[in-house]
Amino acid sequence: MTQENNAETISGATIDADEVAKFTAMAAEWWDPHGKFRPLHKFNPVRLGYIRTALCARFERDPKAEQPFTGLRFLDIGCGGGLLSEPMARLGADIVGADASPANIKTASLHAQAEGLNIDYRATTAEALAHSGEKFDVILNMEVIEHVADPLAFMSACASMLSPDGCMFLATLNRTLKAYALAIVGAEYVLGWLPRGTHDWHKFITPDEMQKMVAQAGLVVQQSTGVSFNPLLNKWALSGDMAVNYMAIAENKA
């Protein structure tokens, strides 16, 4: 059942209040493909394809099936307005969408209801979910870790909720000069794809740092890939270049 939490604030050790406020201020625009979240709408097809292909292979599901994720329990942590939660639900997933911003959860809940989707949305934190003993087959930790106050604590809380045979998808930005030039100067100041101040380059995480953090949380990175934007085709695609955006899959150590 879709849930709403009308608390004004959600607190926790990993929560960066300024980051939550930043996205709360834009909550009403999550589903506007031409609004402030336009880059995520553009990015969604490549990450959806990556998730679907990897999970169908891992759980031996038919990638051509209408709902290949039936029977799998998902957590979309930092779900925002539900841009990932909704397609996962359509693919059959039993999904919990969690976000520290009640405004985001309200937007996500109303949109899911309008679409006739059954998504368990909760205004809560990773550590609160972990403390309650929640377990998931799949955790979507996508474009959120660069916005938390304590990345290792956040990663550890997420890792503790992963079922023994489950996997966690990760997506973030690399802390390189190229990422600063493209993701901040280019996207925020020159092209105006994102509001200024959306990202803090100092919070970007290198692939090596990600691997170490994942290991400290008790997991291992099983595979990783770069994601690059092609301005001529006006779309994102998987690539060998991890200098800006990258995704990875982590699982429990053998």
Side-chain angles (χ1 to χ4, degrees), residues 34-49:
H34 306 293
K36 293 177 180 177
F37 293 102
R38 179 177 59 177
L40 272 183
H41 284 270
K42 287 283 188 184
F43 194 55
N44 233 17
V46 69
R47 60 181 184 171
L48 290 173

Side-chain angles (χ1 to χ4, degrees), residues 15 26 49 62 73 98 103 127 139 148 173 195 197 209 219 221:
I15 298 302
M26 299 185 286
D62 180 1
R73 190 166 192 245
E127 56 264 42
I139 296 177
V148 303
L173 290 137
E209 290 169 344
L219 306 180
V221 173

Side-chain angles (χ1 to χ4, degrees), residues 111-172:
H111 196 274
Q113 288 170 6
E115 294 293 313
L117 295 172
N118 184 21
I119 299 174
D120 183 358
Y121 280 121
R122 307 182 195 179
T124 188
T125 65
E127 56 264 42
L129 286 168
H131 183 71
S132 67
E134 296 275 7
K135 292 291 181 182
F136 300 92
D137 301 302
V138 180
I139 296 177
L140 305 178
N141 185 344
M142 310 289 279
E143 293 86 33
V144 64
I145 198 165
E146 70 271 19
H147 298 291
V148 303
D150 187 334
L152 178 56
F154 176 77
M155 182 70 73
S156 297
C158 291
S160 72
M161 293 185 280
L162 195 62
S163 64
D165 296 324
C167 62
M168 178 159 56
F169 288 84
L170 303 156
T172 191

